[in-house]
Amino acid sequence: MEKTFAVLEGDGIGPEIMREALKILNVVQKKYGHTFKLIRASFGASAYFTEGSAFPDKTKHICDEADFILKGPVGLAVEEMHQIPQEDRPEHAAILPLRQRYDTFANFRPVRLPASLRSFSPLKEEVVCDGIDILMIRELVGGIYFGDKLEGAATGMKFARDDCIYTEKDVRRVAIVAFEEARKRKVQLTNIHKANVLATSRFWREIVEDVAKNYPDVPHSSVLVDNAAFQLVVNPTRFNGVMLLENMQGDILTDQAGGIIGSLGLMPSACIGPEKGYVEPAHGSAPDIAGKNIANPYSMIGSIAMLFEECLALPEEAADIWKGIFEVFEKGFITRDLTGPWHSEGKVISTSDFGDRVVQNILGH
Ligand code: NAD
């Protein structure tokens, strides 16, 4: 296969974890006889400082020409955000426009912790049981993040407003993707919403129930988002299967899921649009650990596995990468984020050592 990828390494730990991900892409390319052309482009806070825009026109052109996009995390530390005017910050000027440009409406975020690695979780072993295997599918280009925003004053009182809008098309297409995925995997689907309070959630539930009629073979249920947050902690395996979430609720619960399996560094993702998609870690730029070669590259390497799985339809290559990643853990190696008061077993290795070991494992298969 011949493909061109735009590589946006991003900010903070972005360059470090992207470097490891590209090692894996390179070894898989050689092993399976593919030809991948990589074109690097600047994106995020670093692009703002060097080129005056978090999503420069040159980068847009490179992304437009590429088949898929490999994106690292972007953004400054919260206390440093004031260095960039609100409207130019990466969240508003880079991430949301990238999603909108390619209409990447379905965000796949796998939450995987096999039973053999359950000590990574801060939850008790009896809670993690036989392991967590949830595919969270988050709607990515609608809802409150993309609605009109207003900060103003009226009748002497300051106020702020964010509109949350979902159209039938927005909900239906992501629901179809989620049901198709649940059918393919032969698993249950749990629809998350807040229909007891929000009109958009009632509408969301109604459309999802309508889509469900075409999938009588897929067991499905619906759970209120606040209850889901609680259940994810006390009984996460009850969600094993597919979880379908709207944009903001999905943003929050997927980070919570990272906490449940032990680290945000274990959260890769793929963002799928009608024609083009991109892969990225589900977490941010982790400025607190940037430049130290201690970040967990699983999230970015796993995103490469998802590129093969979800974007290129090459499941053998994807399985090879997943196997190579999990073998690192199974041999007793961990990155620093996986040490903590609840888990201290394992030999701590660096970001680059982790990538090298995945490469060796893939070559050894
Ligand atoms: P964060 O996700 O960057 O980090 C939260 C915590 O998780 C930190 O302690 C960090 O060290 C840790 N962590 C995250 N990824 C890790 C990894 N791979 N290995 C080890 N530890 C890891 O959240 P934050 O600090 O709130 O945000 C930093 C910046 O990232 C902000 O500017 C935010 O807006 C941005 N952000 C970007 C994206 C994106 O690019 N899609 C997503 C979320 C946040």
Side-chain angles (χ1 to χ4, degrees):
M1 179 181 280
E2 288 187 18
K3 292 284 174 203
T4 301
F5 302 131
V7 178
L8 320 178
E9 59 183 22
D11 305 315
I13 60 170
E16 297 164 66
I17 60 175
M18 183 64 83
R19 187 187 60 217
E20 301 315 308
L22 295 183
K23 281 183 192 169
I24 279 67
L25 191 69
N26 193 30
V27 74
V28 171
Q29 161 175 244
K30 286 190 186 135
K31 182 170 170 178
Y32 290 88
H34 302 304
T35 308
F36 298 140
K37 185 174 171 202
L38 305 180
I39 307 180
R40 289 175 185 270
S42 51
F43 189 73
S46 48
Y48 173 80
F49 290 126
T50 54
E51 298 181 40
S53 163
F55 193 4
D57 286 344
K58 195 173 161 211
T59 301
K60 287 182 185 143
H61 179 70
I62 290 171
C63 292
D64 287 350
E65 295 295 307
D67 294 299
F68 292 100
I69 300 158
L70 318 181
K71 175 192 160 293
V74 296
L76 293 175
V78 177
E79 56 279 7
E80 289 178 2
M81 282 178 180
H82 65 271
Q83 294 177 25
I84 306 181
Q86 174 70 34
E87 63 279 11
D88 293 321
R89 288 181 190 162
E91 294 76 10
H92 294 287
I95 302 177
L96 298 185
L98 177 73
R99 291 174 182 169
Q100 208 158 27
R101 191 172 186 89
Y102 303 113
D103 196 20
T104 52
F105 64 95
N107 182 204
F108 285 48
R109 294 188 164 184
V111 185
R112 286 175 72 193
L113 194 68
S116 57
L117 303 179
R118 63 187 165 203
S119 58
F120 287 6
S121 172
L123 304 180
K124 291 187 172 129
E125 296 208 342
E126 306 84 292
V127 176
V128 179
C129 308
D130 294 333
I132 299 172
D133 191 1
I134 306 169
L135 175 63
M136 291 184 158
I137 298 185
R138 167 188 170 198
E139 199 291 323
L140 202 60
V141 294
I144 200 163
Y145 289 1
F146 286 87
D148 285 343
K149 294 168 193 341
L150 189 62
E151 287 171 66
T155 58
M157 188 82 82
K158 289 207 280 184
F159 72 94
R161 200 176 91 190
D162 295 283
D163 288 349
C164 182
I165 299 176
Y166 267 113
T167 66
E168 180 174 348
K169 177 188 147 213
D170 296 336
V171 185
R172 195 170 284 281
R173 65 181 182 170
V174 74
I176 291 172
V177 166
F179 273 99
E180 286 291 333
E181 209 52 42
R183 174 177 275 172
K184 195 169 83 187
R185 292 165 187 245
K186 297 189 174 52
V187 293
Q188 62 163 349
L189 181 146
T190 313
N191 179 32
I192 307 299
H193 55 74
K194 186 69 183 163
N196 55 341
V197 176
L198 298 175
T200 41
S201 269
R202 278 193 290 279
F203 180 68
W204 174 280
R205 186 183 58 181
E206 194 181 302
I207 307 292
V208 173
E209 290 299 323
D210 192 48
V211 171
K213 288 181 193 149
N214 296 326
Y215 297 87
D217 51 313
V218 177
H220 82 281
S221 60
S222 86
V223 176
L224 292 171
V225 64
D226 38 354
N227 184 20
F230 164 72
Q231 298 278 340
L232 266 172
V233 174
V234 297
N235 189 12
T237 59
R238 68 154 281 174
F239 293 114
N240 278 354
V242 171
M243 281 176 94
L244 171 61
L245 305 112
E246 66 86 68
N247 202 345
M248 189 172 92
Q249 295 170 19
D251 192 7
I252 297 167
L253 286 200
T254 53
D255 259 36
Q256 187 185 337
I260 286 163
I261 59 173
S263 172
L264 278 174
L266 297 175
M267 292 292 293
S269 94
C271 311
I272 311 295
E275 283 162 23
K276 193 174 302 205
Y278 73 95
V279 293
E280 65 168 357
H283 57 72
S285 57
D288 52 333
I289 57 165
K292 297 179 180 163
N293 199 23
I294 58 173
N296 187 345
Y298 173 112
S299 55
M300 195 72 237
I301 299 174
S303 297
I304 297 295
M306 296 186 76
L307 171 80
F308 284 102
E309 213 162 22
E310 308 297 343
C311 306
L312 302 175
L314 294 171
E316 200 185 329
E317 285 83 335
D320 206 353
I321 299 173
W322 284 123
K323 192 164 176 253
I325 294 173
F326 280 104
E327 279 170 356
V328 177
F329 294 137
E330 275 148 18
K331 286 176 187 163
F333 298 103
I334 52 172
T335 42
R336 207 196 63 161
D337 51 310
L338 294 168
T339 64
W342 67 88
H343 180 254
S344 54
E345 296 153 31
K347 183 174 177 331
V348 176
I349 55 174
S350 65
T351 311
S352 47
D353 196 4
F354 192 103
D356 290 342
R357 285 173 190 277
V358 178
V359 167
Q360 287 312 316
N361 291 341
I362 292 172
L363 288 173
H365 293 161

